Amino acid sequence: MKNKLLKEFQAAFPRSGEPLAVWAPGRVNLLGEHTDYNGGFVFPMAIDAGIGMAGALNGSTAVNLYSLNYDVGDSFSLQEIKPSPKKKWSNYIRGVCKEFQSAGFTPQGMDIVIFGNVPQGAGLSSSAALEVASAVLVASLHGFAADAVEMVKMAQRAENDFVGVASGIMDQFASMMGQKDHALFLDCRSLEYELIPTPFEQKGYAVAVINSGVRRGLVDSAYNDRRRECEEAAALLKRELPEITALRDVTVEHLDLIGALPEVLAARARHVVTENNRVLTGIEALKAGDLATFGEALTASHRSLQKDYEVSCPELDLLVDLSLRHSGVLGSRMTGAGFGGCTISLVPRQELAEFEEKVTAEYFAQTKLQPEVYVFSASPGARLLT
Ligand code: GLA
């Protein structure tokens, strides 16, 4: 990847200086969906697909970008950073530069090439990978003393303020802090985390990711509505439970109180509260080597996202149902924000080929969409490619 990036940089910016190359991965969330912005628990892993960048300072106040995937360039001035209405992909980098400025740093002009191999709009966090790669590149080129978690927050704010999605911190955190062969158990309130070994392979299983082919438009979706509904539910529950500040503080013992909320808010809150609980019990099972219980938590998570949180779609439900029908599959659910994107399933390795063949054939027969199947391994987070 490094050599490709450096070669392409030379071709795009022949007069520029020696570039640095960086990499930031996408992520698959194993458990804990729509809990991060409620201050709750998540359990994602960084994957071996992501975004690479090569860049050098150019001695001006302009940032010149070249996307190898789109085969198109863009430029913006650091003197007044504004979103681009046309080249939306460049807004992630614009937003990150602006965040460095807001944090008191002074980025200089740069020439940058970008190449990604993580599917876009598939719920695998290509956006977070782009933001995190930008942050690591900008910091490395200038020698800025921003620590990893600070950059995670800048990347998240770039998405919130510049791209317009009120997303939580999970994706950027996973992209920055992932570790090989581990998933991240993250408390999204304190940002304390624990690296948990992923024992799937040793136990003869794989996490099969299936891309439904339904593209998920986060900005246009009901994501921001869900966030608002959660805040409303928390505000109403606070009347009975004055000590709470977010749904994170509500537990399964409060399900009765939740049931008394207006119907939609009750369903949203029920999802968040039970999902937080599933992260805790799922990780406990994983630590005990009990993949069957972990798999059950995956499927229960899907049903909750489907029925209570209402962020699934018929295609994702179909993939989950087809996957669960296959013998030996321990669990299946949608991953990411929903409304399209991918499912994950815990599949016996020796069944993988047949699983892929059967599920994709049946899915295509029913939807006329060609799904893609990936088996990612848990991978290290963002880094300078030396
Ligand atoms: C998107 C957001 C995350 C998180 C998930 C849902 O990926 O970027 O912050 O909220 O959706 O779990």
Side-chain angles (χ1 to χ4, degrees), residues 27 29 32-37 42 123-125 128 156 159 165-172 216 218 223 227 305 333-338:
R27 65 97 189 91
N29 188 21
E33 218 65 85
H34 289 277
T35 47
D36 61 351
Y37 52 83
V42 293
L124 300 175
S125 291
Q156 184 200 7
E159 174 116 15
V165 185
S167 62
I169 202 163
M170 166 171 70
D171 306 343
Q172 292 81 3
R216 173 192 58 97
L218 252 195
Y223 186 92
R227 193 169 175 151
L305 288 158
R333 70 178 200 90
M334 54 154 274
T335 184

Side-chain angles (χ1 to χ4, degrees), residues 57-64 76-79 107-111 142:
L57 299 180
N58 64 18
S60 78
T61 55
V63 177
N64 305 313
F76 64 91
S77 163
L78 288 163
Q79 278 156 339
Q108 315 286 305
M110 293 167 276
D111 295 335
H142 296 82

